[in-house]
Amino acid sequence: MADIQAFGSNPAPVEGVGGWLLGQHRGPLTVTDDFSVLDDPVEQQDFTQDCEVQGRPACESVLLVQGMYCAACSDAVESALAGKPGVLSAQVHAATRRLIVRWDPERVLISELARAVGAAGYRLLPLQQALSVSQRQAETRKALWRLFVAGFCMMQVMMYTTPMYVTEPGEIAPDLLHLLRWACWILSVPVLLFASGPFFGNAWRDLRRGRIGMDTPVSIGILVTFIASSGATFDPTGPWGDEIWYDSLTMFVFFLLGGRYLELKARDRTAGALDALINRLPERCERQQADGAFESISLKRLQPGDVVRVQAGQAFPGDGLLLSASATVDEALLTGESHPVTRRQGESLVAGSYNLAGAALMRIERLGRDTRFAQIVQLMERASTEKPRLAQLADRIAAPFLLAVLLAAALSGWWWWQIDPDQAIAVAVAVLIVTCPCALSLATPVAMLASAGALAKRGVLVRRLQAFEVLAGIDTVVFDKTGTLTRDRLVLSQVLVRPGLAPAQALQQAAPLASASLHPVSRAIARAAQEQGLALPAFSEVQELPGLGLQAGQGDSLLKLGSARFCGLDEAGLLGAGQAVEGQPCCYLVDASGWLATFVLDEGVREEAAAVVAQLQALGLETRLLSGDQAQAAERVARQLGITQVVAQASPERKLAEVLALQQQGHRLAMVGDGLNDGPVLARADCSFALGHGAPLAQAQSDFVVQSGQLDELVAAIVLARKTLLVVRQNLLWAAVYNLVAVPLALVGWMPPWLAGLGMAASSLLVIGNALRLARPSQSRPV
């Protein structure tokens, strides 16, 4: 939980277009200014896009909520928007503080939504501004200053209170003892007024809204401790007694602030992949003018067709074509490709990829939401705002639990007041502090976000955090064939030739004809000749007959390349003579004398497919093939990969029926596909993967999008999902055990407030630290 500036204080100015805040302005603007700037379509491009809700046009905005620190806060923001006319849905993720709100532009304006959230005591920020370097530095500096003040004062208070613990009564003169107490009081005031500011600000905001947040018991504990200690300092013989707890107060604040600072840094790491992705695009770029000179303009002013110059180390601002001779590009975060790639003149460049060497010229083709980069950001934003099922449960029980905490603290204080009034306040404060459910709220979301960040670094985008829980429990993986287990192109697997002719010679004669066509069979033959480095003879004219084949030459020099029918051959006779292969596509080459060669083609099974299937089976998963292709082709691929369960010639309707039948038999399955006809089964499967080169509909229906298209990432995701669920269970178990042990200790008076604060901070840090293990690269590798 971050160190959040108290609502109502004066924030530091922020300059530029991002200098305004949604809900409360920064810089020269105030809450009384015109909010119409928030409704400017140009500004909204950064955080709003069009969508549909129940067939009606709507807008969807993704923003960051400033002032959030717990699950109860996310519920408060959602409640502030849920009852407003024109708001179709609002969801907040506590761990990332991201809000995704869908609203009807005909009934409400975004500025009105900002006011509603501002009235609830929170602020909304565009992600680009909230995640800027200056914003992060300011937040970190503020947190460090508070931590420093608490730590410095704590050390001084401990120095002044130590003599009271190590000496016998009467050894210290009363006036000197009173002076030490006054010194402790003076040192505790900055801790109360400055270091504890976020706790009081958040608690007051919650109480004004009629709810209880996680800082409410903390603030009550701090305030009660200070008031009781002050009473004992001002009047040692009064009703407060002569016990002081300045050391417990300052130590508790220091430990809690230290924990929250570390949580702030840890949270940045869990959402680091998304943050880095959002901030990849430059704010300004160099556009070429008509006279060839370059001008620096805002990215928002670019138009398709503009030519821009991208310096080394900068990201390309849009999708387009490379005009320079070559460029070295880093596309790791977008495609999962870990090695830099070289793009040649005329090749495509992707927005968000980095230019690594020298200035490069490019012509912009697509900008903003039309780019592949924007689609990836949208997928990751959806994942970061989703609440997993276990996190939703934590949200629901957070408020009642906090109310129970306050009642337990009051009852324990009342009970102890009858036994030992000097101990009653310490016990009540310890109970307030030790039972704060921070660890419970963080247990699930931080683990799943850490895993999502780890997969994002590998080029796997998580569209639904809930999918981790489902993926960990699957028992079957169902593959589509074409484009998933096989390449989306044919490859030459075998060449059968006339006696006396070498396969390379036959390929050398066929390749010039094949090079004149874009048909997949022709491209496979031409590619094979190119890979072998064959010198090709030149033909003056090649004629292509669509659907049949190609021919060149005349009379005795006539060559034909194509189907058996086009070449005048009897396919059954070719099979009987061993000049063709049954069940595999064949292309024939003939001359004036008849049959010359048969080119046997295959779909080209992916190099990693067999190893992936073996790894899945080693993990105890059943593998199946579900294909719309012919039975012979599907079974041939299945035999190569070790898959025994095959369904072929399946229409989209039959594919869906097969998936439903497996689910009715009790199977929990993951579907892997890439085609347009895979959309229904990807949506119906318990969990689904779409390859990055697949159809947009397939990606829209999937839970995970594998940008690189490498099947290895499927195994990595399954292994990581199992570890994620294990970590979530560990975190929930720790949070439960901590409360079961700590609460009784606090109730019987064996846990002073400072130790309760240390335990509370330590429990949250342990949960986050355990979750961050998932973000290590080694944790997401296949086993």
Side-chain angles (χ1 to χ4, degrees):
M1 286 172 285
D3 172 60
I4 303 298
Q5 181 173 307
F7 179 74
S9 58
N10 294 322
V14 178
E15 297 182 359
V17 176
W20 45 264
L21 294 178
L22 306 186
Q24 178 170 334
H25 287 292
R26 284 193 170 190
L29 300 179
T30 68
V31 293
T32 60
D33 289 317
D34 185 6
F35 281 85
S36 60
V37 64
L38 310 184
D39 304 315
D40 185 346
V42 176
E43 302 297 339
Q44 287 186 11
Q45 290 177 5
D46 290 336
F47 56 87
T48 301
Q49 64 177 7
D50 297 330
C51 67
E52 283 191 4
V53 177
Q54 298 179 347
R56 297 186 59 185
C59 290
E60 182 178 273
S61 300
V62 180
L63 301 156
L64 188 136
V65 185
Q66 189 181 50
M68 267 189 55
Y69 57 96
C70 68
C73 293
S74 63
D75 181 65
V77 176
E78 292 173 359
S79 299
L81 293 173
K84 192 163 185 63
V87 176
L88 305 177
S89 66
Q91 191 173 52
V92 182
H93 194 291
T96 59
R97 298 180 294 168
R98 283 177 172 82
L99 161 71
I100 180 168
V101 56
R102 291 185 172 185
W103 47 285
D104 186 347
E106 295 182 358
R107 301 178 60 195
V108 69
L109 298 175
I110 189 67
S111 56
E112 297 174 10
L113 304 184
R115 288 190 181 94
V117 174
Y122 301 91
R123 300 170 183 155
L124 298 185
L125 289 169
L127 290 177
Q128 287 79 359
Q129 177 191 344
L131 302 174
S132 66
V133 174
S134 59
Q135 182 76 11
R136 289 179 180 275
Q137 289 177 344
E139 188 175 12
T140 301
R141 280 196 302 267
K142 180 78 73 174
L144 283 174
W145 267 112
R146 296 187 191 277
L147 183 61
F148 169 76
V149 170
F152 177 81
C153 294
M154 177 199 70
M155 289 187 293
Q156 300 302 312
V157 169
M158 287 298 299
M159 182 176 65
Y160 292 144
T161 55
T162 299
M164 304 179 196
Y165 291 109
V166 299
T167 60
E168 295 294 333
E171 288 189 32
I172 303 178
D175 56 342
L176 181 58
L177 184 62
H178 197 57
L179 181 62
L180 290 175
R181 291 187 173 191
W182 271 104
C184 293
W185 182 86
I186 293 172
L187 288 166
S188 298
V189 170
V191 176
L192 180 77
L193 299 181
F194 176 68
S196 303
F199 309 136
F200 293 125
N202 295 332
W204 175 243
R205 178 191 58 204
D206 291 334
L207 292 174
R208 284 192 307 157
R209 299 291 298 178
R211 59 177 185 264
I212 300 174
M214 289 189 187
D215 274 351
T216 303
V218 169
S219 300
I220 293 174
I222 293 173
L223 200 57
V224 168
T225 304
F226 182 79
I227 292 174
S229 299
S230 298
T233 301
F234 297 156
D235 185 8
T237 61
W240 296 104
D242 61 353
E243 287 290 330
I244 61 171
W245 296 281
Y246 297 120
D247 52 342
S248 295
L249 168 67
T250 53
M251 289 176 67
F252 161 62
V253 174
F254 173 73
F255 289 142
L256 191 55
L257 286 175
R260 293 195 176 188
Y261 173 75
L262 294 177
E263 287 174 22
L264 168 65
K265 304 301 290 184
R267 185 178 58 203
D268 286 344
R269 289 185 59 187
T270 59
L274 175 58
D275 297 352
L277 186 60
I278 291 174
N279 284 313
R280 285 173 79 92
L281 295 186
E283 294 183 2
R284 305 187 66 82
C285 56
E286 298 178 81
R287 181 176 64 182
Q288 190 175 42
Q289 298 175 299
D291 59 359
F294 290 91
E295 61 174 342
S296 177
I297 64 168
S298 169
L299 180 63
K300 296 177 182 179
R301 304 303 174 190
L302 276 182
Q303 298 292 331
D306 287 345
V307 175
V308 298
R309 179 172 63 187
V310 180
Q311 300 292 343
Q314 290 183 340
F316 294 101
D319 293 347
L321 297 178
L322 179 64
L323 301 182
S324 302
S326 65
T328 304
V329 182
D330 175 12
E331 299 178 349
L333 198 56
L334 300 177
T335 66
E337 176 59 52
S338 58
H339 302 290
V341 294
T342 301
R343 299 297 181 198
R344 304 295 180 186
Q345 188 176 35
E347 292 186 345
S348 297
L349 297 170
V350 183
S353 57
Y354 281 114
N355 178 28
L356 297 181
L361 288 180
M362 71 173 298
R363 176 176 287 110
I364 299 294
E365 292 185 331
R366 290 178 297 277
L367 288 163
R369 300 190 189 98
D370 298 329
T371 63
R372 179 63 181 153
F373 171 82
Q375 297 168 11
I376 294 172
V377 169
Q378 181 183 359
L379 290 177
M380 295 186 71
E381 284 177 345
R382 288 181 182 276
S384 69
T385 53
E386 185 204 11
K387 291 182 181 178
R389 181 179 57 84
L390 294 174
Q392 292 174 2
L393 178 62
D395 287 359
R396 286 196 297 270
I397 68 174
F401 184 85
L402 287 169
L403 182 59
V405 167
L406 294 177
L407 292 175
L411 289 174
S412 62
W414 172 79
W415 177 264
W416 273 94
W417 189 268
Q418 302 177 66
I419 300 173
D420 183 1
D422 290 341
Q423 187 75 359
I425 294 176
V427 170
V429 170
V431 172
L432 283 172
I433 295 168
V434 80
T435 52
C436 188
C438 293
L440 180 65
S441 298
L442 293 169
T444 299
V446 293
M448 292 189 176
L449 282 170
S451 296
L455 288 180
K457 293 175 183 177
R458 298 177 62 106
V460 180
L461 304 183
V462 182
R463 299 187 69 251
R464 237 178 17 103
L465 289 181
Q466 183 64 36
F468 278 113
E469 186 177 352
V470 178
L471 183 59
I474 64 168
D475 56 34
T476 305
V477 179
V478 181
F479 290 97
D480 174 49
K481 179 180 72 69
T482 306
T484 302
L485 292 175
T486 64
R487 298 289 182 186
D488 53 355
R489 65 186 186 186
L490 293 171
V491 295
L492 182 63
S493 62
Q494 189 178 3
V495 181
L496 306 175
V497 294
R498 176 195 294 173
L501 186 69
Q505 292 175 312
L507 186 60
Q508 192 173 28
Q509 294 186 52
L513 280 75
S515 301
S517 171
L518 295 177
H519 191 277
V521 172
S522 300
R523 295 177 68 179
I525 295 173
R527 190 184 307 112
Q530 183 180 9
E531 291 172 354
Q532 295 183 27
L534 300 176
L536 306 182
F539 288 92
S540 57
E541 184 177 349
V542 177
Q543 182 182 6
E544 181 175 10
L545 284 74
L548 295 175
L550 303 113
Q551 64 182 25
Q554 293 180 351
D556 293 341
S557 63
L558 178 67
L559 277 178
K560 285 187 175 183
L561 179 68
S563 64
R565 179 184 175 185
F566 173 67
C567 294
L569 300 174
D570 177 19
E571 199 159 12
L574 292 172
L575 288 170
Q579 296 171 348
V581 178
E582 186 175 4
Q584 286 187 250
C586 295
C587 180
Y588 303 96
L589 178 68
V590 297
D591 60 8
S593 301
W595 177 77
L596 264 177
T598 299
F599 300 97
V600 184
L601 300 156
D602 202 349
E603 290 178 278
V605 175
R606 291 175 177 271
E607 295 83 356
E608 75 276 13
V612 167
V613 171
Q615 287 177 326
L616 292 174
Q617 294 171 348
L619 291 172
L621 301 174
E622 181 181 337
T623 54
R624 292 173 175 262
L625 181 60
L626 186 57
S627 173
D629 207 347
Q630 298 296 318
Q632 290 180 332
E635 290 172 359
R636 184 174 64 253
V637 171
R639 283 194 303 271
Q640 289 179 259
L641 302 178
I643 299 176
T644 57
Q645 303 290 332
V646 181
V647 176
Q649 295 179 297
S651 64
E653 292 78 13
R654 187 183 174 189
K655 285 186 176 183
L656 185 59
E658 291 288 338
V659 168
L660 289 171
L662 287 172
Q663 291 174 327
Q664 290 172 358
Q665 295 170 16
H667 290 282
R668 301 186 68 186
L669 56 91
M671 180 72 198
V672 187
D674 77 322
L676 187 64
N677 61 348
D678 295 325
V681 287
L682 288 172
R684 186 63 184 85
D686 298 284
C687 185
S688 54
F689 288 80
L691 303 187
H693 62 264
L697 177 61
Q699 296 185 22
Q701 300 295 337
S702 65
D703 298 313
F704 299 88
V705 179
V706 183
Q707 289 292 107
S708 64
Q710 295 297 311
L711 291 176
D712 309 78
E713 306 301 345
L714 171 64
V715 183
I718 294 174
V719 172
L720 187 59
R722 292 182 175 182
K723 292 180 178 178
T724 301
L725 199 59
L726 177 62
V727 167
V728 168
R729 289 170 177 166
Q730 290 172 347
N731 286 347
L732 291 174
L733 178 62
W734 162 251
V737 169
Y738 161 74
N739 279 281
L740 287 174
V741 173
V743 172
L745 292 177
L747 288 172
V748 299
W750 291 353
M751 180 174 284
W754 68 265
L755 185 57
L758 178 60
M760 175 187 168
S763 64
S764 298
L765 290 177
L766 182 63
V767 164
I768 292 177
N770 191 35
L772 288 180
R773 295 188 299 115
L774 297 167
R776 299 174 187 168
S778 60
Q779 297 292 331
S780 56
R781 298 294 178 190
V783 296

